[in-house]
Amino acid sequence: MRSFELKTLLALSIVTPNGRNIADGRKTLEVRSWRPEDLPLTDLLIVENGRFLSEQGDSDDDGRLVAVVDIAEIHPWLPTEVEAACASAWAPGYWAWRISNVRPISRPVKVIAARKLYDVPLDRSDLAQLIAQ
């Protein structure tokens, strides 16, 4: 019997319309109350969904893969960065994740949205076919 290794990529869910704002280049900072343990995050999948996932274990079956990005730098969020985050107001105590190397997905792919950073069953070699040319 053959065994297959499941390939996964790391993902971050973003509430609509901000996944699309990232894919379109309008949102260059993602603001979170937490930060990942390791940087950089390369080929991070951006999954847009319609509601906030605020409880441990929350997920949403209606997520859509909209972009692939890199996060190389995280710093304390500054009051001057509200527009870059597509936010309505600034609040202290948050982290600004600088979004770079944005690669929009040519056609949104349905995937689950979940809290924090999570794995999506997708192989890195499949990304080239999904990224808009």
Side-chain angles (χ1 to χ4, degrees):
M1 176 153 88
R2 293 174 66 187
S3 65
F4 294 95
E5 181 181 334
L6 181 63
K7 304 285 185 163
T8 62
L9 288 172
L10 210 52
L12 181 70
S13 66
I14 311 272
V15 175
T16 192
N18 283 313
R20 189 81 253 150
N21 287 341
I22 289 170
D24 292 342
R26 288 188 297 271
K27 182 175 172 68
T28 58
L29 291 176
E30 173 58 17
V31 176
R32 297 281 165 145
S33 62
W34 56 277
R35 55 182 294 158
E37 293 180 23
D38 298 316
L39 288 178
L41 298 174
T42 56
D43 296 334
L44 178 65
L45 305 178
I46 300 299
V47 176
E48 185 175 73
N49 68 304
R51 63 183 178 87
F52 287 99
L53 305 173
S54 56
E55 299 296 322
Q56 184 68 26
D58 269 358
S59 65
D60 183 352
D61 291 337
D62 290 326
R64 294 161 313 284
L65 176 59
V66 295
V68 181
V69 305
D70 295 339
I71 307 289
E73 183 253 329
I74 297 175
H75 61 269
W77 189 32
L78 303 172
T80 57
E81 297 176 319
V82 171
E83 186 175 336
C86 291
S88 56
W90 177 82
Y94 287 88
W95 298 98
W97 302 27
R98 184 155 319 278
I99 300 165
S100 63
N101 193 20
V102 176
R103 289 148 286 158
I105 299 299
S106 57
R107 54 178 171 67
V109 176
K110 188 172 178 163
V111 296
I112 197 165
R115 288 191 77 230
K116 305 248 178 174
L117 294 172
Y118 63 100
D119 290 318
V120 167
L122 183 68
D123 189 69
R124 194 173 305 277
S125 63
D126 296 329
L127 285 181
Q129 297 173 18
L130 298 174
I131 295 172
Q133 301 299 319

